[in-house]
Coordinates of all heavy atoms in Angstrom, one line a residue:
M130 N 9.2 -11.3 6.3 CA 8.5 -10.0 6.6 C 9.3 -8.9 5.9 O 10.4 -8.7 6.0 CB 8.5 -9.7 8.1 CG 7.7 -8.5 8.4 SD 7.6 -8.2 10.2 CE 9.4 -7.9 10.6
R146 N 4.0 9.0 17.2 CA 4.5 9.3 18.6 C 4.3 10.7 19.0 O 4.0 11.0 20.2 CB 6.0 8.9 18.6 CG 6.2 7.4 18.5 CD 7.7 7.1 18.6 NE 8.0 5.6 18.4 CZ 8.8 5.1 17.5 NH1 9.4 5.9 16.6 NH2 8.9 3.8 17.4
V153 N -2.2 9.8 5.5 CA -1.4 9.3 4.4 C -2.1 9.4 3.1 O -3.2 8.8 3.0 CB -0.9 7.9 4.6 CG1 0.1 7.5 3.6 CG2 -0.3 7.7 6.0
L163 N 2.7 -1.8 -1.2 CA 3.3 -2.6 -2.2 C 4.6 -3.2 -1.7 O 5.1 -4.2 -2.3 CB 3.5 -1.9 -3.5 CG 2.2 -1.6 -4.3 CD1 2.5 -0.8 -5.5 CD2 1.5 -2.9 -4.7
I209 N -0.8 -14.4 9.6 CA -2.0 -13.8 10.0 C -3.1 -14.8 9.7 O -3.3 -15.2 8.6 CB -2.3 -12.5 9.2 CG1 -1.2 -11.4 9.5 CG2 -3.7 -11.9 9.5 CD1 -1.2 -10.2 8.6
Y218 N -17.7 -6.4 19.9 CA -18.2 -5.9 21.2 C -17.3 -4.7 21.6 O -16.1 -4.7 21.5 CB -18.0 -7.0 22.3 CG -18.4 -6.6 23.7 CD1 -19.7 -6.6 24.1 CD2 -17.4 -6.0 24.5 CE1 -20.1 -6.2 25.4 CE2 -17.8 -5.6 25.8 CZ -19.1 -5.7 26.2 OH -19.5 -5.2 27.5
N224 N -18.4 3.2 23.2 CA -19.5 3.4 22.3 C -20.8 3.7 23.0 O -21.5 2.7 23.4 CB -19.6 2.2 21.4 CG -20.6 2.4 20.2 OD1 -21.5 3.2 20.3 ND2 -20.3 1.7 19.1
Q227 N -24.0 2.1 21.1 CA -24.2 0.6 21.0 C -23.2 -0.2 21.8 O -22.8 -1.3 21.4 CB -24.1 0.2 19.5 CG -25.3 0.8 18.7 CD -25.2 0.4 17.2 OE1 -24.1 0.4 16.6 NE2 -26.3 0.1 16.6
G228 N -22.8 0.4 22.9 CA -21.9 -0.3 23.8 C -22.5 -1.4 24.6 O -23.8 -1.4 24.8
R232 N -22.6 -7.5 19.0 CA -23.2 -7.3 17.6 C -22.7 -8.3 16.6 O -21.5 -8.3 16.4 CB -22.9 -5.8 17.2 CG -23.7 -4.8 18.0 CD -23.4 -3.4 17.5 NE -22.0 -2.9 17.9 CZ -21.4 -1.9 17.4 NH1 -21.9 -1.2 16.4 NH2 -20.2 -1.6 17.9
R276 N -20.0 0.6 4.4 CA -20.6 1.5 3.4 C -21.6 2.4 4.1 O -22.5 1.9 4.7 CB -21.2 0.7 2.3 CG -22.1 1.7 1.3 CD -22.5 1.0 0.0 NE -21.3 0.9 -0.8 CZ -21.4 0.4 -2.1 NH1 -22.5 0.0 -2.6 NH2 -20.3 0.4 -2.8
N309 N -20.4 10.3 -5.2 CA -21.5 11.3 -5.2 C -21.7 11.8 -3.8 O -22.9 12.0 -3.4 CB -22.7 10.7 -5.8 CG -23.9 11.8 -5.9 OD1 -23.6 12.9 -6.3 ND2 -25.1 11.3 -5.7
I317 N -9.5 14.7 14.6 CA -8.8 14.1 15.6 C -8.8 15.0 16.9 O -8.5 16.2 16.7 CB -7.3 13.8 15.2 CG1 -7.3 13.0 13.9 CG2 -6.6 13.0 16.3 CD1 -7.9 11.6 13.9
E324 N -9.4 19.9 19.3 CA -9.1 19.4 18.0 C -7.6 19.5 17.6 O -7.0 20.6 17.7 CB -9.9 20.1 16.9 CG -9.8 19.4 15.5 CD -10.8 20.0 14.5 OE1 -12.0 20.2 14.8 OE2 -10.3 20.4 13.4
A336 N -5.5 7.3 3.7 CA -5.6 6.6 5.0 C -5.4 7.4 6.2 O -4.7 8.5 6.1 CB -4.5 5.5 4.9
D355 N -25.3 15.1 -5.7 CA -26.5 15.1 -6.6 C -27.6 14.3 -5.9 O -27.5 13.1 -5.9 CB -26.2 14.5 -8.0 CG -27.4 14.5 -8.9 OD1 -28.5 14.8 -8.4 OD2 -27.2 14.2 -10.1
E359 N -27.6 7.8 -6.4 CA -27.1 7.0 -5.2 C -25.8 7.6 -4.7 O -25.0 8.1 -5.5 CB -26.9 5.6 -5.6 CG -26.6 4.6 -4.5 CD -25.1 4.4 -4.3 OE1 -24.3 4.7 -5.3 OE2 -24.7 3.9 -3.3

Side-chain angles (χ1 to χ4, degrees):
M130 180 178 68
R146 292 180 182 125
V153 186
L163 288 175
I209 299 170
Y218 178 85
N224 188 331
Q227 295 180 318
R232 288 181 286 164
R276 169 166 286 182
N309 186 39
I317 307 293
E324 185 174 311
D355 178 352
E359 187 266 343

